[in-house]
Amino acid sequence: MENKAEERQVDVEREDGTAKGRYRVAIGHDEAEMTYSRAGKGRIIIDHTFVPAALRGQKVGEQLVRRAVEDARLEEIVIIPLCPFAKAQMERHPEWQDVLSR
């Protein structure tokens, strides 16, 4: 029996536009996504996260936020997590505070 509480390693894709973008994970017919908007120079606002029921409990949502954190570090920008899920993930991971907008 599969333990759904374990983290499933997934490929997180990024679609980045001039004003908006999203991170997505596709597994079979299921797709999880996290959307963001640019907020001026050097900031993004994470505004929505969706993980379908079939992918919940596998830390797919956490991996979407982790990828945004990694990209923010590379691009030297900060994140404003308006989405309640993203905000909760940022609070759970003190090691991500360096990219949290203050």
Side-chain angles (χ1 to χ4, degrees):
M1 185 170 164
E2 183 179 337
N3 181 356
K4 286 191 145 203
E6 289 187 24
E7 183 170 338
R8 174 183 217 157
Q9 289 301 313
V10 296
D11 289 325
V12 178
E13 298 173 11
R14 183 180 182 188
E15 298 170 4
D16 189 36
T18 54
K20 296 181 175 279
R22 74 177 186 144
Y23 291 91
R24 67 183 283 273
V25 169
I27 300 171
H29 296 293
D30 298 305
E31 180 177 284
E33 77 168 357
M34 182 178 72
T35 59
Y36 63 89
S37 300
R38 296 202 178 277
K41 188 174 175 135
R43 267 187 264 181
I44 64 166
I45 297 170
I46 295 176
D47 49 31
H48 176 72
T49 305
F50 172 74
V51 177
L55 300 180
R56 290 188 186 147
Q58 300 173 56
K59 301 196 176 196
V60 172
E62 179 181 327
Q63 291 181 70
L64 291 168
V65 180
R66 179 181 295 127
R67 172 70 190 275
V69 167
E70 291 167 358
D71 288 349
R73 287 177 178 148
L74 288 172
E75 297 169 18
E76 298 181 349
I77 63 173
V78 294
I79 296 172
I80 302 166
L82 290 186
C83 164
F85 177 82
K87 183 174 178 157
Q89 288 297 316
M90 296 293 284
E91 290 171 357
R92 271 190 211 121
H93 292 273
E95 70 275 17
W96 295 352
Q97 300 303 302
D98 60 309
V99 297
L100 186 61
S101 179
R102 305 257 176 242

